[in-house]
Amino acid sequence: MSEKRVALVTGASRGIGAAIADSLVAANYELIGTATSRNGADQIEHNHPGHKGFVLDVMDEGSLNAFCDEINNLGLVPSIIVNNSGITRDNIMLRMKLNEWNDVITANLNSVFLLTRHFLKPLVKQRFGRIINITSVVAHSGNAGQANYAAAKAGVVGFTKSLAREVASRGITVNAISPGFIDTDMTGKLTESQRDAALSQIPAGRMGKAKEIAAAVRFLASDDASYITGETLHINGGMHML
Ligand code: NAP
């Protein structure tokens, strides 16, 4: 790379997003990382001196608009957009409340639409871009207790394919990465029996590491991946083979 490309990673404060941030900084990208709190944003800057951490709550329209304005005002133009942040609000269907459904769709799907739409125009102009959306194995397999999350993540896959078709001729690739069971705070919330049940489904016999997802993001962001678009890369230790 002659000039440093700017990479935006949402939810870069913890888990998979933090590993993606580490990996992209190591590959010489200029990082814009986000967290929901000022502390989290400061931590990103502390971990990556010379790079930028911002506060962003994708569920709050005001926060989203303020973040987008701040990036524009600083003249930052992300060429790599990693829509990583996400939440779960698990419940079986008979008990699932409308707010549990709406929160998960807002955080995991609407945010991908809103952020991508905001940052797309400069990518079209510069005729280069990489949009990488983090979906989930449950988008493909389904999971009892996660109808909201699986629907949102399946929506991300459809979004990825459709946008890939729209912008392929402009040098922009749009791909999804579908992690299986990765060791982060998100899976840390599971009970021991839920963990054991998940592990029993994984031929590799272990949970994935955040850095194993980050390595794939780094590849899809690179020039080497310029002919891969509309794809979903499954990284799940064999848990779900398609
Ligand atoms: P995590 O450890 O819970 O971290 C979530 C990240 O998202 C944090 O940086 C958090 O910021 C941020 N975030 C949460 N709510 C947000 C909001 N409203 N607005 C903006 N950012 C928000 O999760 P993870 O396991 O790393 O998951 C990362 C992505 O991978 C998610 O999209 C998840 O659905 C997907 N995924 C994870 C697994 C897995 O097994 N872990 C499997 C498949 C897919 P704060 O630190 O400020 O809270």
Side-chain angles (χ1 to χ4, degrees):
M1 258 185 287
S2 49
E3 205 176 281
K4 270 196 169 192
R5 287 178 179 150
V6 177
L8 164 62
V9 181
T10 64
S13 43
R14 290 185 284 129
I16 292 171
I20 294 170
D22 291 347
S23 174
L24 293 180
V25 167
N28 208 28
Y29 292 91
E30 186 180 335
L31 173 71
I32 298 174
T34 78
T36 58
S37 67
R38 188 66 255 167
N39 270 354
D42 289 345
Q43 192 58 46
I44 292 168
E45 294 192 352
H46 176 80
N47 293 346
H48 302 293
H51 296 264
K52 294 198 167 57
F54 291 89
V55 178
L56 169 64
D57 179 350
V58 295
M59 298 175 73
D60 174 347
E61 208 183 322
S63 170
L64 240 155
N65 291 337
F67 167 72
C68 291
D69 288 347
E70 216 177 337
I71 299 295
N72 288 352
N73 294 341
L74 288 169
L76 292 166
V77 181
S79 298
I80 319 293
I81 299 166
V82 187
N83 287 305
N84 163 76
S85 64
I87 61 164
T88 51
R89 298 277 184 273
D90 297 353
N91 218 338
I92 56 164
M93 200 57 200
L94 286 173
R95 287 203 206 116
M96 188 173 288
K97 309 213 172 30
L98 182 60
N99 68 302
E100 290 169 334
W101 173 268
N102 284 338
D103 283 356
V104 167
I105 300 292
T106 303
N108 295 281
L109 181 58
N110 293 357
S111 65
V112 175
F113 160 67
L114 289 168
L115 280 169
T116 306
R117 188 181 62 171
H118 182 84
F119 289 110
L120 188 61
K121 212 179 247 174
L123 303 191
V124 172
K125 264 198 194 151
Q126 69 192 18
R127 301 186 83 79
F128 175 84
R130 296 280 187 269
I131 298 168
I132 302 165
N133 302 319
I134 308 299
T135 177
S136 166
V137 64
V138 306
H140 316 279
S141 64
N143 196 23
Q146 291 198 310
N148 50 359
Y149 183 71
K153 293 299 195 184
V156 168
V157 174
F159 173 87
T160 299
K161 291 180 183 174
S162 302
L163 182 60
R165 286 184 184 275
E166 286 185 27
V167 298
S169 65
R170 311 301 175 105
I172 303 168
T173 67
V174 190
N175 291 291
I177 290 178
S178 185
F181 192 43
I182 310 300
D183 192 7
T184 68
D185 294 344
M186 187 175 270
T187 43
K189 287 189 285 195
L190 300 177
T191 62
E192 210 174 314
S193 67
Q194 285 171 320
R195 273 172 95 82
D196 289 348
L199 278 172
S200 72
Q201 302 299 312
I202 305 173
R206 64 168 177 87
M207 295 176 80
K209 299 182 181 116
K211 69 177 186 192
E212 291 172 317
I213 306 303
V217 171
R218 182 168 159 172
F219 169 64
L220 287 176
S222 73
D223 286 339
D224 288 340
S226 53
Y227 203 51
I228 302 174
T229 197
E231 266 306 320
T232 299
L233 183 49
H234 299 268
I235 306 174
N236 57 37
M239 183 182 190
H240 189 70
M241 299 183 194
L242 291 135

